[in-house]
Structure formats: structure tokens, C-alpha cells
Amino acid sequence: MTTRFAMAVDTVRCVGCNACVIACKTENAVPEGGFRDWIAQEVHGAFPDLSMQIRSERCNHCAAPSCVDACPTGASHVAQGGVVAVARNKCTGCKACIAACPYGARYVHPEGYVDKCTFCLHRVTQGRAPACVETCPTRSLTFGDLADPDSPVSRLLRSRRFTVLREESGNRPQVFFLA
Amino acid sequence: DRNRVEDPGTDGDRVVASYCELCFWGCGVLAHVKDGRVTKVTGNPDHPLSKGRLCPRGAGATGLLYDPDRLKRPLVRTQKRGADVFEEVSWDAALNKVGEGLLELKRRHGPEALALFSHGSGGTWFKHFMKAWGSPNVGAPSYAQCRGPREAGYLLTYGTPLGSPEPIDLAHARVITLIGSHLGENMHNTQVQDLADAIGSGAQLVVVDPRFSVAASKARYWLPIRPGTDIALLLAWMNVLVEEKRCDAEYLAQHANGLEELKAHVAGKTPEWAAAITGVKAELIRDSARFIAAARPASLIHPGRHTTWYGDDTQRARAMAILAALLGSWGRRGGYLTFNKMGLPPYKVGKEMPHGGKGAADKPRNGGYPVAGEVIASGLCDAATPGHALYDLKGWMVYGCNLIQALPSRKQTIEAIQNLDLLVSIDVLPAEICGWSDVVLPECSYLEREDDVLAPPWREPFLALRQEAVPPLHESKPGWWIAKELAGRVGLGDYFPWKDAREYVDARLTLGRHDVAEARRRGVVLGKVGPVCEEEGLAIELGTDSKKIELHSEELKRLGFDPIPNYVPQEEGPAGHFRLLMGRAPTHTFGRTVNNRLLAEPYPENEVWVNAEAAKALPGFPGPLRNGERVWLVNQDGARSGPVRAKVTQRIRDDCVFLVHGWGQGAKRLRYAHGKGASDAELVTRYKVDPIMGGTGMSVNFVRLEPVGRTA
């Protein structure tokens, strides 16, 4: 089977510290004001009966990516392992993909092209973990190949309950939030 | 090829191992250097504290290194003190001026009239300077303004303070109880790693906090306590443990003194009694007590860290320590451990240190604070006001701590400063204290310097090296160089015989028979792991005179204090006011990181947390306070800070508000942080001194909110 990269985010372990965000910014030289990943906190209930979910979020590298469909130039494409990527030289910065993405995962780089999470493909193709995964102090992030049933991410998704964000979009997101 | 992988190219041509100083935990880092620039900083997998992972601050070190607002050249004050007006001078001119000032101070008042406030690893060079100079007045706000009461409470109970990093076994605890500690937001890397591992393996949390903290959101039990009533809750928990015979009786019989007195003391202090005081339901107090007890001895009462709240803080720490004893967790797996330090021979100076006559000037003239284990920074501050201490301080050197925000009562701090003959600050950034200094000496960041070896006690003892990744930027200099140059100018050059810090460290490593090249390559030398708890074969040993755990403290009784903690009600605030609580955000280390542009991206400024119900009808507001709206905070004495964004939330009680400490910076040369958010320190016009150890309880101030635009 072909490689299908995915990520599991353990919301039980995550404290929302932003280490993933800073590590991503330095690893990928993300410009000021741009984010390839971020922290979401979702609070429910009223004092004192409260619950909160903390999520490290990023591009969901959807199996049916609406951003790729929306791209008029073919810059947004599905790369190795199902990673949704942007070919900078083909991107005109028209923002059709930004409008089409249900997750707000893309931003316009000051150099004019649209930028987003690549799952650190430059690292994972060398057998290294994405920068966010590598630094996460709570080990909340697990990256791997869903096509390999023995990969840590496959195992986690078999053993834990999980949800995806905006399932109704039909995008088939590949980032899974463990509860 | 459209499928070409974009490589941002941030891997270094050179990778330098060092240890971090974005906070004081000291995690191992790898600095990636490319074309002479540090591109990124990642965790050192070989280092026991980081285990290859960094918190956001550690990963954001380049934001400090390349901060455009860094101190670039030495500065000498040209206008009145506090005007923050300086001229740039050469290092020679600045050091000569400091040297002359120091010699004049010594001639007129003696060497003890000089104090050093020091926070940070480069401070060791200045501490050495102070020894050679002959002054005992070396302190840091990290004791009397932070973890001091905890240290005194555990010292009185177990005969040993906890120190940093705390020897607690989060990883193996089955129940972890946090009392006002918001670990996870308070981002001590290894502790958060262990906490997550514990949660991942099924450990449960009990969180006592007026705020629904991140930890509370993961807790089995959250006790949203009325601020200032923790001792009542702790006594009620003890009551349940004692009355229901849930203590570790065998352990207590073997290791503790005063169980009968304790039983008598907590009789009647029932959950129902505490419920009326704490605002926590009796049933919740009882259930959580049983839950905590069921996991003993692997039931960890986290000792906390920033513990200077209400002035009775040593007694609260005592109550926590006693509770831990009832659970039998001291010396046991999942509780409190005994760590070892890896020894390293000192550098042979070959010159005797002068033997000082006077003791430190950190206590009032009429005495006090009998259990203080470290020098009291607020006491050193007071000693600059004539006639307060046994003798007056006339000069301060301030290394890496912004006393304006770290000490309580800004007014008092500034009055003390105005009495000084000489104030020298050594810092990387133009902190507020620099603006009040006579001479400002720019130190380089930790990535540009060598420092002494770090060897904290830890489960796996180790040595860690601080190494220069890139040469100092601008005209900044490393601390070791500044201290040595200063020593040379005041006739103490012989005490600094090393060529540089690198030679100093290599000499120590060589004396310790370590492979210097390997240590420098790896950044860390690992020692032997020994047993750390009873389960691993380490017998429980207590450091008290009685060699027992002091549930009832004869020492406190002798000194005239309660031998077992009592709950004493705190003063309430004026009508329409909220108690002001402070805490941490994971992206920040007090005010030290607030100007860091990289860390500002996810957390650009602090917010004042306000209960959503209370926000609907605030006195003086025309309508409900909206989330994100800016407000002023005005305290009971009229001190104000802001404007600050309001975080209107269900996640906090309606009798208090919360601020992350460090914001509301008045230093105008911190161009990013200046004027952003609100300063809790500015609103701490009152504080309550812990009579046992001199800690300054600062959560005794009350604020009201005022709409922006209506200010007189």
C-alpha cells in the first residue's frame, strides 16, 4: 500500500504550551504573523461545571482536499504520502485555496505565495519526525504512516477514541484528535 | 518538478550543545548555526532535563539572541536616576567608572555595603566576585519572592528544603495534587513531560485553584477554592485522613513525631467546617481526600513553586508537607525522592578568600525571619533605606533580575534605590532596573557565552556545559569577562586567574577526570544512577534534629509560632474589588521574555481574566464588559495598570481576577513590550511578610476594573 502520512494529537496529554508553534516557526523560517500550526482551546459549560479541550492544530492533509480542487494553477497539490503541498513557483497568491480550506490552515507568505504545514516533508523523507512532534514536551503528537498497521499512529487510532475536525466538510481530514 | 520538497534549510552546518537560559530550569539544547547565525534551537536528547524536547521559550531562544532592542554598548547615566537617559560609552570607561565607584564605596562604608542581586547562571562569576570582595549580601528574588516559604515549610517538616529542580516523582505518582500550582501553564519542561507521562499512564489529578487552569481541565477533581483559604482545606483533608484512618500508620509510627498532637489539632476541622470557609462543597472535600489517600504512597502533593501569596505561606507549605507525610510519600516512589548531585572539583584559585566579619544585612535591625534559609532580596532592598537593617547598603549590583517587577511595592524599591551611592546593572535587555541604574553593562545572551558547569541534583546526576554557539553580538560581553575585568580594576585580579570561562571549565572537568572533548561534543556528562526511594533500596532518612518528620514542630513552638498550621482568615477587599492573583503562561518567564518577538507571536500580551457573570454588571461600566475589551486595573490604594484586554471567562471565580506576570513593562527601550498589558507588580502596593522566613505575600491586593476612556 502507498504511504499515507497522518498525525494523532492527544488532547488528554496536551497542555497547549505552544512549543509546537515556536519549533515550527524556527524550523520552517515561518515569517512574522504567519502560522503553520496553532493552539485551540475549546471551553464548555459554566462555572464551576466546566470542560476544556486543548488541541495543537495544523493542516489536516485531507484525503479529499478542497484547497487542491479550488486551486486554479495546480500549485496546491497532493505530494508524497498524501501531504497537501503548495508549489511556490506555480502559486499566484490568489487565495482561492484559503477560501476553500475549512480549517484556516493557510496564510499568504510575504513573498506572495500561499504557505502552510508540510508535515515537515523535508524531514520525514529523511526519517526524522516533524519539528512540532520532535519538540512536544508532552509527547502529544504522533506522526506516521497509516498504511503501515504497525506504525505508532495506526496503533493509537486502533486503541483510542478519536475525532476529526469538521467531518461534515467531506474533506476526509488526516489529523486525528485523541480524546 | 512540482513535487519538489521545500527544505527551509535551517539545519545547522554546526550544532553546539549547551543548556538553556530562557528560564532557570536549565534544559539541554542544541544550537544550529548556519552562516554565522543561529537558525534554531532544539532539545538535546542526551540531556536528562530536556530529553530532546524543549518548551516554547527554549525553542524561542533566537528571539532573544536577535532581539533588536538588546543592550548593545555600555551605558552611563546622564540625568537624574530613573530618567532612563544614558550615553553610550566604551567598556573601558564604564568599567573604570564602576571600579572607582566600588573602591569609593569600600573606603567609606566597608565591603559589606555592596549587595548583589543575581538570577541566572552567569551570576556565579559575580558571586565569586562578592566573595573575593568580602560581602555576604548576595540574594535573589527567587527565594523571598517565590519558592522561599515552601523551602522553609519542608525544612521544618523534613529537615531539608526542596531546591530546584524539585525532587518529586511525578512520573510514578498515581494521584497528583496541585494546590494553586498551574503546572502545564507553568512550563518547567521535565515536570510537564513527567506530568503528561503520568496522565498518559492513567494517573489522576486533584487541582485546587480559583481558576480552571489547564491542569484543572485534566483533573478528576477540581476544587475552585476561595483564595486565601487553602490551609482550611488542607486541615480538613487531614481530618478525613485521620478520622477515617486513611493515613499510613506504620510509616508514621516509624518516621514521624507529633501524630497525637496533629490528631487533636484537626479534630473538628471537618469538611463541613472547611466548606463554609473555602467555598468548596463538603462532599467534594471528603471525596477528594479519600481519592488522594487511596493512592498512597504514590500520591504526590506537588509542593508548588511560586508560594508567596498571603504571608502565612510557610504554614501552608507545612500543611502540604504534613499531608504528604500522612500519605507516607516522603522517600517513596511516586512521592518525594532523594536526588544526588554529580561532584566536580573547584577551580584552584590559589588565594584565600577574605573572611568576612559581618553577616548579611537582609533582616530588620530588631531581627526576625528565624527560619530563612537564603538571603532575603526584599531585605537587601530595605537595607538601602538608612537605619532599617543592622547596617546600611550603599551599592547594588543587579545581575539579570528586574527588581522593579520582582520585588513588592515599587514605591519602596524606588525609595531604596534613591538612597544608593552606586547602582550597576548587568543585563541582556534594557529591563526597567537598567533605567534606574548609574551604569548598565550589556551581557551577551546565553547562546553567545560560556558559563560554569551546571550540576543540579537529579535522578540521573549530570554535568551540563554552557557553550558559545556564536560570538557575542554588538559590543555585549559574557558575564565571566565582565566580572574578571571588574575584579582587575578593584585589586582582586588574583581571584580570577583563569584566561576565560572555557579554560576554567576545562580545568574543572580535567580535575574531575572527565573527557573534555567528549563533554564539549555532547554538552553533558552523565553520572551513575543510584537508588532514589525506599522501593529502590534507599532507606528513608530525615534531616531534622530528631531524625523524624515533624508533624508538630517543636522548633516553631520555641520560636513562638504555631507548631501545627492554623487557618487564619485573610483580610477581604473593599466592595466592588477583586483579589488580584498572578501566574504564568507557558510562553513566558516573568518579564524576561515579554520582548521576545518570536514568543510574542502566539502570546502577544497578557489579559486580565474576569468571571463572565461578574463581567455582566461591573460597577462603573455602562453595560456588560465584552471579551477582548480593554480596561484599567486600579487597586485599593489607587495604583493603576493597563490598559489590558479582558478575558471574560467561565474559568475563574467571581471574587478574583488573574494576570500573567511580567507584562505592563515601563522600560521604554523594550520597544515591543513597552506599555503592553498590565503589571501585577505595579498593583502590589501592599504585601504581607511571612514572619517565619521573610517571604513577601503578594496576593493581598484588590483591584477594580475601570473602562478605558473614563480615566480622570
Side-chain angles (χ1 to χ4, degrees):
Chain A
M1 234 179 121
T2 51
T3 305
R4 172 66 249 194
F5 288 133
M7 188 180 284
V9 178
D10 191 335
T11 63
V12 179
R13 297 178 71 113
C14 177
V15 297
C17 76
N18 280 291
C20 50
V21 175
I22 303 295
C24 172
K25 291 210 71 142
T26 57
E27 171 68 27
N28 294 299
V30 177
E32 194 181 330
F35 293 95
R36 289 184 177 192
D37 59 352
W38 60 92
I39 296 293
Q41 288 189 344
E42 202 177 300
V43 182
H44 291 284
F47 182 93
D49 299 311
L50 293 161
S51 68
M52 180 165 71
Q53 189 179 59
I54 304 171
R55 297 186 297 264
S56 167
E57 294 185 4
R58 58 196 41 67
C59 169
N60 284 271
H61 297 283
C62 304
S66 49
C67 55
V68 172
D69 292 346
C71 178
T73 67
S76 280
H77 65 281
V78 177
Q80 197 177 339
V83 166
V84 175
V86 180
R88 293 175 186 180
N89 56 350
K90 291 188 181 176
C91 179
T92 61
C94 77
K95 303 185 196 171
C97 58
I98 291 178
C101 172
Y103 304 106
R106 294 164 167 250
Y107 71 96
V108 182
H109 192 282
E111 288 171 20
Y113 57 85
V114 168
D115 192 44
K116 61 178 287 302
C117 167
T118 63
F119 267 164
C120 280
L121 209 50
H122 65 286
R123 292 170 61 98
V124 302
T125 48
Q126 296 172 11
R128 299 155 74 197
C132 57
V133 175
E134 184 185 67
T135 204
C136 177
T138 58
R139 296 175 176 81
S140 301
L141 307 177
T142 304
F143 174 85
D145 181 8
L146 281 185
D148 172 4
D150 289 329
S151 71
V153 70
S154 297
R155 286 168 181 274
L156 268 176
L157 296 181
R158 279 201 301 275
S159 64
R160 294 275 300 271
R161 284 187 302 121
F162 63 84
T163 54
V164 293
L165 297 178
R166 298 189 177 231
E167 191 169 19
E168 74 285 357
S169 69
N171 270 27
R172 291 165 55 206
Q174 301 297 305
V175 174
F176 304 92
F177 295 89
L178 307 174
Chain B
D1 176 17
R2 72 172 206 173
N3 283 347
R4 188 171 57 88
V5 179
E6 299 281 356
D7 186 341
T10 52
D11 283 348
D13 304 328
R14 236 169 13 97
V15 177
V16 181
S18 188
Y19 65 89
C20 183
E21 193 153 73
L22 270 284
C23 87
F24 302 99
W25 197 250
C27 293
V29 299
L30 299 174
H32 285 251
V33 185
K34 193 172 184 177
D35 303 325
R37 274 182 77 85
V38 178
T39 48
K40 64 182 171 188
V41 175
T42 61
N44 183 351
D46 292 338
H47 193 287
L49 294 184
S50 53
K51 296 183 268 188
R53 292 159 192 272
L54 290 183
C55 83
R57 297 163 300 171
T62 49
L64 171 65
L65 173 61
Y66 298 117
D67 190 322
D69 298 336
R70 271 180 57 175
L71 290 166
K72 298 182 175 74
R73 278 166 282 280
L75 303 173
V76 169
R77 179 166 68 79
T78 56
Q79 289 185 17
K80 74 175 168 50
R81 206 179 254 153
D84 200 359
V85 179
F86 295 88
E87 66 172 349
E88 291 186 345
V89 298
S90 68
W91 270 103
D92 222 29
L95 291 166
N96 286 343
K97 187 171 170 68
V98 177
E100 285 158 21
L102 286 173
L103 290 172
E104 173 72 6
L105 189 95
K106 193 182 223 173
R107 194 178 57 74
R108 291 178 54 191
H109 307 288
E112 297 91 347
L114 179 67
L116 168 68
F117 297 87
S118 170
H119 201 191
S121 45
T124 58
W125 311 105
F126 296 92
K127 288 177 186 169
H128 180 75
F129 176 93
M130 291 294 279
K131 269 193 197 152
W133 173 261
S135 172
N137 293 307
V138 178
S142 53
Y143 184 73
Q145 282 67 51
C146 191
R147 59 185 168 76
R150 177 196 83 183
E151 304 298 43
Y154 280 75
L155 177 71
L156 286 160
T157 313
Y158 295 103
T160 172
L162 296 173
S164 174
E166 293 83 1
I168 51 175
D169 198 6
L170 282 159
H172 297 108
R174 303 312 300 154
V175 170
I176 297 163
T177 302
L178 301 175
I179 298 162
S181 160
H182 42 283
L183 191 58
E185 287 156 281
N186 188 13
M187 196 66 203
H188 287 125
N189 188 355
T190 332
Q191 281 198 8
V192 176
Q193 292 193 25
D194 288 352
L195 178 73
D197 283 347
I199 290 171
S201 58
Q204 300 288 329
L205 304 187
V206 175
V207 174
V208 179
D209 202 313
R211 196 172 58 93
F212 190 66
S213 62
V214 165
S217 77
K218 300 180 184 300
R220 174 73 170 269
Y221 292 102
W222 172 43
L223 285 67
I225 194 167
R226 177 176 298 142
T229 65
D230 308 80
I231 293 178
L233 171 71
L234 289 158
L235 291 171
W237 273 351
M238 289 182 212
N239 170 282
V240 175
L241 263 59
V242 165
E243 296 291 328
E244 299 183 0
K245 299 193 167 31
R246 293 173 190 272
C247 304
D248 191 333
E250 200 181 321
Y251 175 94
L252 291 169
Q254 198 184 341
H255 298 295
N257 274 339
L259 184 58
E260 291 313 311
E261 288 96 327
L262 181 76
K263 282 182 177 172
H265 187 82
V266 300
K269 296 194 173 61
T270 60
E272 287 70 23
W273 166 79
I277 296 167
T278 58
V280 180
K281 290 192 181 90
E283 192 189 340
L284 182 52
I285 298 176
R286 187 168 277 113
D287 288 352
S288 54
R290 290 171 179 166
F291 188 72
I292 289 167
R296 69 172 170 78
S299 183
L300 177 68
I301 306 299
H302 191 290
R305 191 158 172 119
H306 184 272
T307 52
T308 42
W309 304 344
Y310 310 115
D312 59 356
D313 306 302
T314 300
Q315 292 289 16
R316 185 183 65 253
R318 275 268 299 152
M320 291 161 67
I322 292 167
L323 180 62
L326 297 184
L327 298 166
S329 72
W330 182 273
R332 298 269 190 71
R333 178 174 291 148
Y336 290 77
L337 308 173
T338 301
F339 288 162
N340 289 310
K341 244 175 118 108
M342 200 166 157
L344 191 65
Y347 189 100
K348 287 202 174 62
V349 173
K351 191 166 160 76
E352 284 283 301
M353 287 291 174
H355 294 285
K358 294 183 187 170
D362 64 330
K363 296 185 183 65
R365 175 168 288 210
N366 54 4
Y369 323 141
V371 187
E374 294 178 33
V375 171
I376 297 165
S378 37
L380 293 180
C381 177
D382 293 341
T385 302
H388 186 88
L390 276 179
Y391 58 94
D392 300 340
L393 295 178
K394 292 290 179 185
W396 289 359
M397 285 204 290
V398 184
Y399 176 86
C401 43
N402 181 23
L403 298 179
I404 304 295
Q405 295 253 11
L407 296 175
S409 178
R410 177 165 303 189
K411 186 166 161 273
Q412 218 175 316
T413 306
I414 288 166
E415 273 168 21
I417 286 172
Q418 296 296 17
N419 283 304
L420 295 171
D421 291 351
L422 182 66
L423 173 51
V424 182
S425 55
I426 301 125
D427 222 319
V428 181
L429 286 162
E432 287 157 316
I433 189 67
C434 298
W436 289 92
S437 301
D438 303 319
V439 182
V440 181
L441 303 176
E443 198 190 21
C444 52
S445 77
Y446 90 85
L447 287 166
E448 309 156 83
R449 66 178 203 246
E450 309 269 328
D451 272 317
D452 202 354
V453 174
L454 192 69
W458 193 245
R459 172 185 279 278
E460 184 176 35
F462 64 95
L463 308 174
L465 272 65
R466 167 71 48 75
Q467 304 195 81
E468 182 189 289
V470 288
L473 290 174
H474 321 296
E475 285 178 33
S476 65
K477 293 282 188 186
W480 68 261
W481 182 90
I482 302 171
K484 184 177 158 75
E485 287 291 317
L486 223 42
R489 281 167 171 80
V490 295
L492 300 174
D494 288 352
Y495 291 99
F496 290 77
W498 42 86
K499 181 172 133 281
D500 54 28
R502 201 176 171 89
E503 189 237 66
Y504 175 98
V505 167
D506 287 355
R508 291 192 69 190
L509 291 170
T510 305
L511 283 169
R513 297 168 189 276
H514 298 293
D515 180 337
V516 175
E518 177 65 7
R520 290 207 166 273
R521 189 190 63 76
R522 209 176 173 199
V524 49
V525 179
L526 300 178
K528 272 207 196 82
V529 179
V532 295
C533 57
E534 193 175 56
E535 289 83 349
E536 292 179 10
L538 184 70
I540 294 170
E541 271 188 55
L542 284 312
T544 50
D545 290 344
S546 62
K547 304 290 171 207
K548 299 274 187 186
I549 301 167
E550 304 287 9
L551 303 176
H552 174 276
S553 170
E554 284 301 326
E555 187 178 353
L556 283 178
K557 192 178 171 187
R558 185 174 53 75
L559 292 166
F561 300 110
D562 290 341
I564 303 175
N566 269 309
Y567 167 69
V568 180
Q570 295 288 324
E571 272 173 55
E572 292 303 316
H577 284 60
F578 300 86
R579 189 182 288 271
L580 173 64
L581 303 178
M582 63 77 81
R584 308 288 183 220
T587 37
H588 288 291
T589 306
F590 350 123
R592 294 176 71 104
T593 49
V594 295
N595 207 60
N596 184 316
R597 267 76 162 177
L598 192 49
L599 296 177
E601 295 229 24
Y603 194 95
E605 59 188 292
N606 69 353
E607 302 164 300
V608 58
W609 292 46
V610 186
N611 173 276
E613 290 306 313
K616 285 181 181 163
L618 288 168
F621 280 73
L625 173 66
R626 292 184 313 275
N627 189 41
E629 192 178 336
R630 286 186 189 274
V631 294
W632 285 99
L633 300 179
V634 185
N635 86 348
Q636 72 283 331
D637 298 321
R640 63 175 52 234
S641 193
V644 57
R645 271 186 213 283
K647 180 185 172 95
V648 176
T649 175
Q650 296 288 342
R651 293 177 56 197
I652 190 165
R653 286 176 60 95
D654 62 7
D655 52 5
C656 52
V657 294
F658 172 83
L659 279 179
V660 169
H661 175 75
W663 294 89
Q665 287 282 331
K668 62 180 188 232
R669 284 171 301 139
L670 292 175
R671 286 175 300 175
Y672 176 78
H674 176 69
K676 280 204 175 67
S679 160
D680 60 298
E682 196 154 356
L683 300 164
V684 177
T685 50
R686 297 186 190 184
Y687 59 98
K688 218 164 140 188
V689 179
D690 189 323
I692 300 175
M693 53 59 69
T696 54
M698 293 178 274
S699 300
V700 297
N701 291 271
F702 298 88
V703 295
R704 62 185 172 84
L705 277 58
E706 196 178 271
V708 170
R710 305 188 154 210
T711 313

